[in-house]
Amino acid sequence: MAKIKFKLNNKEIEIDENPNLRLLDVLRDKFEFTGVKEGCGEGECGACAVLINNDIVNSCIVPLGNVNGKEIMTIEGYSETKKYDVIKDAYAEEGAVQCGFCTPGMIIASESLLNKNPHPTEEEIRVGLSGNLCRCTGYNMIVKAVKSAAKKGDGLW
Amino acid sequence: MKDITTSVLKIDNEEKSKGSAIYVSDITIPGMYYAKTVRSTISKGKIQKITLPEMPENYTIVDYKDIPGKNIVRIIFEDQKIFAEDEVTYYGEPIMLVVGPDKLIIEELVKQIKIEYIEETPVFEYVNSAINYNFKKGDAKSAFENADKVIKYDYVTGYQEQLYIEPQGMVVDIEGDKVTLTGSLQCPYYVKNAVLSALDAKDSEVRVIQAVVGGAFGGKEEFPSLTTTQLAVAAKKIGKPIKMIYEREEDMEVTTKRHPSKINMEAAISKDKEILAFRANVGLDAGANIGLSGVVLSRALIACTGAYTIDDIEVNGDVFLTNTVPNGAYRGFGAPQMLFAVEMFMHHIAKEIDCDPLKLRLRYLSKQGDATSTQGTFNDPIIMNDMIKKAMKESDYKAKKIKYAKEDVYKGIGMSWFLHGCGFTGSGESTHINALVKLRKDKNDKVHILIAAVDMGQGIRTTMMKIVSQVLDIPLEQTVYDLPNTDLVPDSGPTVASRTIMIVGGLVARAAKQLKENWTPGEELTVSERYKQPEYIKWDEDNFVGDAYPAYSWGVNIVEVEVCPVTYQVTLQHVWSVYDVGKAIDERIIMGQADGGIMQGIGYGYLEVMNSKDGRIQQKNVTDYIIPTSVDSPPLDTYLMDNPYPLGPYGAKGAGELTLVGGAPAVALAIEEAIGKKIHKIPVTPEYIMELMKNGKN
């Protein structure tokens, strides 16, 4: 057990927990976040992606101890923002959501990309999303959604 | 009124985007226990002795002795056990569950259980036939006797894993005699019937509820019937709610996959270079039990001439049992294997008789009124000529074909033509399923769609609501389609076989018309419709004679690739698709099906490698089983043709599987052209290309 302090969705958190727990399990079990999902459990599929200090990270391979002093943003917090609204509307309009299991992670990846590169080319979008697997869409509608979000949300990022 | 094809926003976008949609792994019930499966660690043998560790309080094992009813997963062919008894037939076969309140302690207990076996020699080859089907059309025998030339080719296809991003999972709850199963599944009534049989329970004692499903593609068709029966038996034994979610590794090792196949094709050719007859011999590797393999084989055999009409054919197929993980449903259901073989074979025939493949294929392309492979009739208009023209124009196919053939560029363009029978094979809809749908108008004039169809991402909730709102001319918001619960909805059949829009949607549209005719504002009313087989459809199941499907969807895929001359890595350049799905109920939803389907089909053709070594699946995660990423996926251009089917809702036919089945031959033909060597096997990996470059034939 160890005292671990971090910011979660803009809220200060201090917990006494086993620092070896996977961040994914803590977010799901302790904070009851359903938007952070387990797809592969080894950092490959991106369904559990969160932002840690604005960088996209797969929470299934992060020990809780590693987030001490850091800022975590999950889809639950991110969905309160204006940028999220632009992205999710673009996802809906382009048909980028099918089964939805990859979607929150995909949206986090979209934010991470646009945050670093507000006007990405198609190739940059494809590379930016390549850490997130989707089996339903063939990705094209997601790529189009990110392109459209970058345009409609111009100035937000 | 708006054209129904005009897209609307899907009803579940919001909850899925922000992560509030409840998938099975998100469900918790107070006091809930967890379960993990203890599995066979050998491929074949007798269980000699099981040594259990001392079980802590509240931890228990559940095995076949606890099953109140039959130790059989009741689906179609009843040969799969819920738990192994005294023998095991594949590595990973479930023997028992360990159930208790803490997942880590369960893991420890599973490790401590010792099982001793008397090992037997497992079978991994195609030798043990459990099902043989064969049929004929015309007189292939004399055609082969009189042939000027007989051309023979063998084709091989590998496993394919569905790789839904959400692994399999199920939760069971128990209150008194009532067992409720909630999970990631495609077929609520398959699960209910399997659990009723396992528990020997009364109809009212079992309820199945769909959780939001994170992708399925056939992988959650019959497999959930196994996990739910196990959990239901466990819940009956200990009286607690239990949750079992597979980790990816377990999911990939033990759940059903697409059947590997071996297909031998023979063509009788006349002096005038005409195809007189076909012979096809198909072997499917079923794994350790039959399950749905017989039905998969039927669909493969019926597709033996693909989009072509060949008058004289002889078809033979076997389901082979091997001591490996059982294979089962996967989008396409036997057709992807066969269509790969047929499309390659047509090209290989063309090469052998020195004929332009396009001309040869056009000569045999099926037309309205032609006899199908099973002596039925293509009753509805076939618009493949227009579709082929469209695809060739959009892709600049002819010019590219000439250019790539002349230059030594390692570039290629390939085109596949295909059809997909919509709905259950043969008279399955009337004899096995007999779908019933209901619509209930409440006092507030909201219309509740009561069907068992599962939205697993394909957008069926939105589509059905659209059909009802369009027929009744009411806003979409005035319709309600909750996730199916077998206590509330009738059995409208499983969500499989590209049947849901065409069959269930057709019934829903008819029920909506009934409701419209009897509509009184503010009054409750429930209407129902049951499936009736159209009279012109005749099917003789024993002899494979007649109309195998009520309708067919058609497609053309063109894939352009570049092959690296050094590493033989294949890069997809562009994909063009043209589909006839009758009428799209929602254009954007169908386009989404098209994109996802073709990428699974192409992935099957060139990228997705799964194999079994000594009876064990070698790829256990997404690090070693590679599916396309956003970088692998090229631009996908899709065009939909209107060709309304009179009996479908607004003219709609099946769409979900059609978009997958042509992907593998299209990419394989593109690679064949790029490297100038004949391809006989998928996936076409760099290793296989290297082998072909050394020893392959032009």
Side-chain angles (χ1 to χ4, degrees):
Chain A
M1 289 300 211
K3 274 216 163 56
I4 297 155
K5 276 169 86 170
F6 54 95
K7 221 180 204 183
L8 177 59
N9 296 335
N10 299 321
K11 247 172 76 183
E12 297 285 352
I13 304 283
E14 188 177 338
I15 52 172
D16 203 20
E17 254 305 352
N18 175 357
N20 292 324
L21 287 178
R22 301 190 302 175
L23 177 61
L24 167 67
D25 294 329
V26 176
L27 292 173
R28 287 186 57 83
D29 300 343
K30 196 169 174 66
F31 295 96
E32 295 180 354
F33 288 166
T34 55
V36 193
K37 303 180 194 303
E38 177 160 358
C40 73
E42 57 167 39
E44 281 290 330
C45 78
C48 65
V50 299
L51 297 169
I52 299 183
N53 291 356
N54 287 325
D55 278 333
I56 184 167
V57 177
N58 289 324
S59 64
C60 71
I61 49 168
V62 177
L64 179 63
N66 281 22
V67 304
N68 195 33
K70 297 193 173 150
E71 286 186 25
I72 304 170
M73 178 72 89
T74 74
I75 192 74
E76 282 78 7
Y78 183 62
S79 60
E80 305 281 312
T81 67
K82 215 171 155 187
K83 292 178 191 167
Y84 166 82
D85 285 339
V86 173
I87 294 180
K88 67 105 178 153
D89 286 346
Y91 269 57
E93 276 153 24
E94 294 297 339
V97 183
Q98 287 196 31
C99 85
F101 206 76
C102 76
T103 308
M106 220 35 115
I107 289 178
I108 291 288
S110 309
E111 157 61 27
S112 168
L113 168 70
L114 293 174
N115 187 37
K116 292 190 175 66
N117 180 358
H119 304 286
T121 62
E122 170 155 347
E123 210 184 321
E124 286 166 341
I125 296 173
R126 289 185 180 278
V127 172
L129 301 178
S130 63
N132 293 64
L133 294 178
C134 168
R135 191 60 155 166
C136 297
T137 66
Y139 304 100
N140 268 20
M141 290 175 163
I142 300 176
V143 172
K144 283 181 193 154
V146 175
K147 220 184 275 176
S148 148
K151 208 171 154 194
K152 286 192 180 144
D154 195 17
L156 277 177
W157 282 279
Chain B
M1 208 177 277
K2 258 203 290 191
D3 179 2
I4 194 156
T5 302
T6 310
S7 301
V8 300
L9 294 179
K10 279 167 73 181
I11 58 146
D12 49 6
N13 279 329
E14 294 278 335
E15 59 175 32
K16 284 178 171 175
S17 295
K18 68 177 178 202
S20 63
I22 300 301
Y23 296 81
V24 62
S25 57
D26 302 323
I27 297 171
T28 49
I29 301 170
M32 180 173 80
Y33 279 21
Y34 297 91
K36 193 164 172 70
T37 314
V38 178
R39 301 180 178 281
S40 164
T41 52
I42 65 165
S43 297
K44 188 175 185 337
K46 297 262 182 304
I47 296 175
Q48 199 181 22
K49 193 180 168 199
I50 298 179
T51 314
L52 299 175
E54 199 180 316
M55 301 297 274
E57 200 187 344
N58 297 328
Y59 290 82
T60 184
I61 65 141
V62 177
D63 67 8
Y64 75 93
K65 295 190 277 296
D66 299 307
I67 300 170
K70 274 206 281 185
N71 183 14
I72 284 291
V73 183
R74 193 179 136 197
I75 306 171
I76 290 185
F77 204 91
E78 303 195 345
D79 70 334
Q80 188 185 10
K81 290 199 161 55
I82 298 168
F83 293 113
E85 295 183 10
D86 50 359
E87 59 168 5
V88 291
T89 55
Y90 66 97
Y91 178 92
E93 184 168 351
I95 297 171
M96 62 177 86
L97 296 184
V98 176
V99 184
D102 187 291
K103 282 191 262 190
L104 293 175
I105 296 174
I106 294 171
E107 294 263 357
E108 269 313 303
L109 291 169
V110 168
K111 278 184 209 153
Q112 289 168 29
I113 293 172
K114 297 265 174 300
I115 303 178
E116 289 160 52
Y117 303 92
I118 302 171
E119 282 201 56
E120 294 166 11
T121 312
V123 175
F124 303 131
E125 302 304 319
Y126 288 40
V127 288
N128 184 7
S129 172
I131 293 179
N132 173 271
Y133 293 144
N134 55 74
F135 62 91
K136 286 178 190 165
K137 174 175 93 164
D139 184 4
K141 193 165 171 268
S142 32
F144 273 91
E145 279 166 9
N146 300 325
D148 180 54
K149 187 175 182 178
V150 173
I151 297 174
K152 296 183 186 184
Y153 278 92
D154 296 339
Y155 301 96
V156 174
T157 68
Y159 279 108
Q160 190 179 19
E161 162 64 35
Q162 294 88 354
L163 213 101
Y164 31 71
I165 307 296
E166 178 211 31
Q168 303 262 357
M170 208 61 66
V171 174
V172 61
D173 197 4
I174 183 161
E175 280 173 86
D177 284 335
K178 181 105 180 185
V179 174
T180 301
L181 296 129
T182 308
S184 189
L185 49 92
Q186 285 175 242
C187 313
Y189 274 91
Y190 276 7
V191 169
K192 178 171 174 173
N193 292 333
V195 173
L196 282 173
S197 154
L199 296 185
D200 195 17
K202 285 195 292 233
D203 192 74
S204 60
E205 290 171 355
V206 176
R207 165 171 57 179
V208 178
I209 302 173
Q210 182 217 328
V212 177
V213 174
F217 317 114
K220 294 167 184 173
E221 175 170 340
E222 77 275 35
F223 192 83
S225 296
L226 173 65
T227 48
T228 40
T229 46
Q230 293 170 340
L231 282 189
V233 168
K236 273 279 178 195
K237 180 175 182 180
I238 63 169
K240 296 268 185 193
I242 308 165
K243 180 173 179 175
M244 181 162 73
I245 308 290
Y246 280 2
E247 287 186 359
R248 179 60 62 185
E249 191 167 314
E250 183 173 24
D251 191 300
M252 285 186 69
E253 264 197 303
V254 305
T255 66
T256 47
K257 305 168 200 319
R258 189 182 309 288
H259 296 71
S261 76
K262 291 180 185 171
I263 300 175
N264 320 119
M265 301 293 292
E266 287 182 35
I269 307 292
S270 75
K271 266 193 188 134
D272 310 326
K273 298 186 176 183
E274 276 175 57
I275 301 174
L276 300 172
F278 261 15
R279 269 193 195 126
N281 186 28
V282 179
L284 293 184
D285 179 350
N289 53 52
I290 295 169
L292 298 179
S293 299
V295 201
V296 174
L297 179 66
S298 297
R299 196 176 267 275
L301 296 183
I302 292 165
C304 67
T305 50
Y308 310 100
T309 300
I310 308 288
D311 293 333
D312 300 284
I313 57 174
E314 256 177 41
V315 190
N316 181 68
D318 293 276
V319 165
F320 290 104
L321 290 180
T322 60
N323 294 108
T324 55
V325 61
N327 295 308
Y330 187 161
R331 196 176 190 176
F333 211 71
Q337 292 93 322
M338 195 73 228
L339 290 171
F340 163 70
V342 172
E343 286 297 79
M344 301 314 283
F345 191 48
M346 287 301 276
H347 280 78
H348 295 162
I349 292 172
K351 283 186 182 168
E352 289 236 1
I353 61 175
D354 202 17
C355 174
D356 176 4
L358 187 61
K359 279 189 188 144
L360 181 77
R361 294 162 77 198
L362 280 171
R363 203 186 309 157
Y364 295 97
L365 181 64
S366 296
K367 304 179 299 293
Q368 184 178 17
D370 278 1
T372 66
S373 65
T374 55
Q375 306 174 53
T377 309
F378 287 118
N379 288 303
D380 301 306
I382 297 172
I383 54 169
M384 278 292 274
N385 274 307
D386 291 344
M387 292 163 64
I388 292 163
K389 271 186 209 143
K390 174 82 179 161
M392 287 175 60
K393 180 171 165 272
E394 294 296 336
S395 62
D396 201 12
Y397 178 84
K398 270 196 173 156
K400 283 178 182 162
K401 187 105 179 146
I402 293 166
K403 187 166 176 266
Y404 298 159
K406 269 192 201 151
E407 299 166 9
D408 188 19
V409 287
Y410 281 84
K411 284 184 184 169
I413 188 162
M415 173 160 63
S416 64
W417 304 346
F418 47 93
L419 80 174
H420 198 74
C422 310
F424 266 77
T425 303
S427 44
E429 286 294 342
S430 55
T431 53
H432 298 305
I433 304 298
N434 201 16
L436 179 66
V437 311
K438 286 185 182 172
L439 292 180
R440 184 174 66 84
K441 180 169 92 67
D442 66 20
K443 280 180 185 153
N444 301 317
D445 291 341
K446 282 217 166 195
V447 179
H448 301 255
I449 301 169
L450 304 177
I451 56 176
V454 164
D455 198 322
M456 44 200 162
Q458 87 284 37
I460 206 69
R461 287 172 79 195
T462 307
T463 307
M464 289 291 180
M465 287 165 70
K466 225 176 147 181
I467 290 173
V468 171
S469 76
Q470 183 94 354
V471 173
L472 289 169
D473 198 13
I474 56 175
L476 203 68
E477 299 72 39
Q478 208 177 320
T479 63
V480 182
Y481 182 176
D482 293 326
L483 300 180
N485 168 340
T486 57
D487 272 4
L488 306 176
V489 302
D491 186 358
S492 62
T495 318
V496 304
S498 303
R499 66 180 289 278
T500 305
I501 291 182
M502 188 178 89
I503 304 281
V504 184
L507 293 174
V508 163
R510 272 169 44 198
K513 275 182 203 130
Q514 223 194 104
L515 193 58
K516 192 173 189 176
E517 283 158 18
N518 299 292
W519 185 281
T520 315
E523 261 180 38
E524 266 195 64
L525 178 63
T526 300
V527 294
S528 58
E529 283 284 345
R530 192 179 276 284
Y531 180 76
K532 280 188 218 84
Q533 182 127 311
E535 273 179 19
Y536 64 86
I537 294 177
K538 300 268 185 292
W539 176 249
D540 170 355
E541 194 165 70
D542 297 329
N543 299 302
F544 284 73
V545 172
D547 291 301
Y549 303 98
Y552 299 84
S553 291
W554 297 83
V556 178
N557 289 152
I558 295 182
V559 175
E560 192 178 349
V561 301
E562 196 170 337
V563 178
C564 172
V566 181
T567 63
Y568 299 135
Q569 209 96 39
V570 173
T571 310
L572 304 173
Q573 301 293 315
H574 208 123
V575 177
W576 297 266
S577 303
V578 183
Y579 297 116
D580 161 17
V581 295
K583 169 94 178 158
I585 298 295
D586 187 284
E587 189 179 12
R588 188 165 44 213
I589 287 178
I590 293 294
M591 293 304 233
Q593 286 292 292
D595 282 5
I598 188 73
M599 281 317 295
Q600 283 185 18
I602 293 174
Y604 177 51
Y606 90 108
L607 189 65
E608 300 183 22
V609 179
M610 175 167 270
N611 35 46
S612 168
K613 195 177 162 208
D614 301 329
R616 296 178 61 169
I617 293 291
Q618 298 296 296
Q619 291 75 14
K620 296 176 197 164
N621 213 314
V622 288
T623 22
D624 42 21
Y625 184 76
I626 306 300
I627 63 166
T629 69
S630 48
V631 174
D632 302 310
S633 188
L636 309 167
D637 294 340
T638 303
Y639 306 90
L640 302 176
M641 307 293 258
D642 258 7
N643 184 21
Y645 165 59
L647 299 180
Y650 293 92
K653 300 188 280 193
E657 294 172 288
L658 177 77
T659 58
L660 184 150
V661 299
V667 73
L669 287 166
I671 299 170
E672 175 162 309
E673 191 184 87
I675 63 172
K677 304 283 181 188
K678 287 198 191 93
I679 285 166
H680 310 105
K681 191 171 84 174
I682 47 172
V684 189
T685 59
E687 292 84 349
Y688 177 47
I689 295 175
M690 189 164 87
E691 196 186 305
L692 289 173
M693 297 310 282
K694 274 188 193 157
N695 307 315
K697 297 219 170 76
N698 294 344

